[in-house]
C-alpha cells in the first residue's frame, strides 16, 4: 500500500513537471509581441505587414494559429528587427526555461498544452502588466537584450518570462493595482 502511494505521488509530480512545456515557436511569438509593444505598434499594423486580417494575426500572436517562417520574417522586417536577433534571444530564453525545469520542444502544441502561452496570456491580462506598460513604456531595455545575467549571479528575465518562472513575481503582478506606490 505504501509503495502504491509513493508511485502515485511520483506520477503526480511527473505530471506537474511535464506540464511545464513550451515550444521554440511560442518563445518567438512572445518575443515578437514584446517587440511590438516596445515599439508602440498596434496589432492591426502587424496584420497589414503580414497580409493578414487583425483577427488572423491575433490568433497567431496568441499561439492559437501556427507561426510560419514566412510570417516570422515579414513581421521582423516590418518592425525593423533582424530575424537572427529574435532567434538568438529565443535560444537564450529557451536555455533559461530549460534550466528551470521547462521542456522546450520543436513540435507544434495545442494552446491548451503550452503552459508558457497560457502564462503569457495571464501576464498580459494582469494588473502588474497594465501598470508596467503605462508607467515604464520608454524606460526599460529591449527584450532582445535578455535575459540579463547580473554580476551577483542572479538572472533578470523580461517580465513575461519572469511571470512564468517565478511564483512570487507572478503573485505580485496579479495583486498589483498601481505602479505609483513602488
Amino acid at each position: 500500500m505504501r509503495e502504491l502511494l509513493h508511485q502515485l505521488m511520483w506520477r503526480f509530480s511527473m505530471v506537474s513537471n511535464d506540464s511545464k512545456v513550451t515550444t521554440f515557436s511560442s518563445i518567438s511569438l512572445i518575443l515578437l509581441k514584446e517587440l511590438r509593444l516596445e515599439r508602440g505598434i498596434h496589432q492591426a499594423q502587424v496584420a497589414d505587414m503580414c497580409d493578414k486580417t487583425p483577427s488572423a494575426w491575433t490568433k497567431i500572436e496568441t499561439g492559437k494559429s501556427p507561426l510560419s517562417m514566412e510570417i516570422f520574417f515579414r513581421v521582423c522586417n516590418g518592425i525593423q528587427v533582424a530575424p537572427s536577433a529574435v532567434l538568438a534571444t529565443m535560444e537564450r530564453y529557451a536555455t533559461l526555461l530549460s534550466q528551470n525545469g521547462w521542456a522546450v520542444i520543436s513540435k507544434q502544441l495545442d494552446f491548451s498544452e503550452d503552459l508558457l502561452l497560457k502564462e503569457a496570456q495571464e501576464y498580459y491580462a494582469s494588473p502588474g502588466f497594465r501598470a508596467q506598460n503605462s508607467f515604464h513604456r520608454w524606460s526599460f531595455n529591449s527584450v532582445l537584450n535578455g535575459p540579463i545575467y547580473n554580476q551577483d549571479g542572479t538572472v533578470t528575465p523580461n517580465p513575461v518570462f519572469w511571470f512564468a518562472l517565478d511564483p512570487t513575481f507572478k503573485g505580485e503582478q496579479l495583486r498589483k493595482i498601481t505602479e505609483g506606490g513602488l
Side-chain angles (χ1 to χ4, degrees):
M1 180 68 156
R2 188 174 183 182
E3 182 63 25
L4 179 61
L5 181 60
H6 184 285
Q7 287 176 351
L8 288 174
M9 288 174 57
W10 182 81
R11 284 186 190 152
F12 177 76
S13 70
M14 291 302 291
V15 167
S16 65
N17 286 343
D18 287 347
S19 67
K20 289 171 58 173
V21 177
T22 192
T23 67
F24 294 105
S25 182
S26 296
I27 298 168
S28 298
L29 282 170
I30 291 168
L31 293 172
L32 291 175
K33 179 171 183 165
E34 286 292 312
L35 288 164
R36 177 181 68 75
L37 294 171
E38 282 178 19
R39 288 161 167 75
I41 299 171
H42 193 275
Q43 283 181 315
Q45 293 171 288
V46 176
D48 284 343
M49 295 171 196
C50 303
D51 292 327
K52 298 282 185 189
T53 65
S55 173
W57 170 249
T58 298
K59 287 180 182 176
I60 293 169
E61 189 177 70
T62 58
K64 294 179 179 153
S65 290
L67 173 67
S68 69
M69 287 304 291
E70 175 189 352
I71 298 299
F72 174 76
F73 283 111
R74 283 185 183 189
V75 173
C76 289
N77 185 49
I79 63 175
Q80 299 180 341
V81 65
S84 60
V86 177
L87 293 174
T89 305
M90 179 270 301
E91 282 187 274
R92 291 192 305 273
Y93 276 105
T95 299
L96 179 64
L97 289 165
S98 295
Q99 291 168 341
N100 285 277
W102 285 73
V104 181
I105 61 174
S106 58
K107 76 172 208 158
Q108 189 68 36
L109 291 176
D110 255 8
F111 178 80
S112 63
E113 299 173 310
D114 193 320
L115 183 60
L116 185 62
L117 288 177
K118 288 190 271 186
E119 291 282 341
Q121 187 175 51
E122 186 177 8
Y123 170 71
Y124 292 124
S126 74
F129 169 74
R130 289 190 302 273
Q132 173 265 329
N133 197 37
S134 63
F135 187 75
H136 290 296
R137 182 161 189 139
W138 305 109
S139 63
F140 59 88
N141 287 326
S142 174
V143 68
L144 295 177
N145 295 330
I148 298 168
Y149 290 86
N150 304 305
Q151 289 181 344
D152 66 359
T154 61
V155 179
T156 306
N158 179 273
V160 68
F161 294 101
W162 197 353
F163 187 91
L165 289 165
D166 183 356
T168 302
F169 181 78
K170 179 179 180 176
E172 291 169 359
Q173 299 310 298
L174 293 172
R175 285 188 302 274
K176 196 173 281 188
I177 303 300
T178 174
E179 195 69 26
L182 294 178

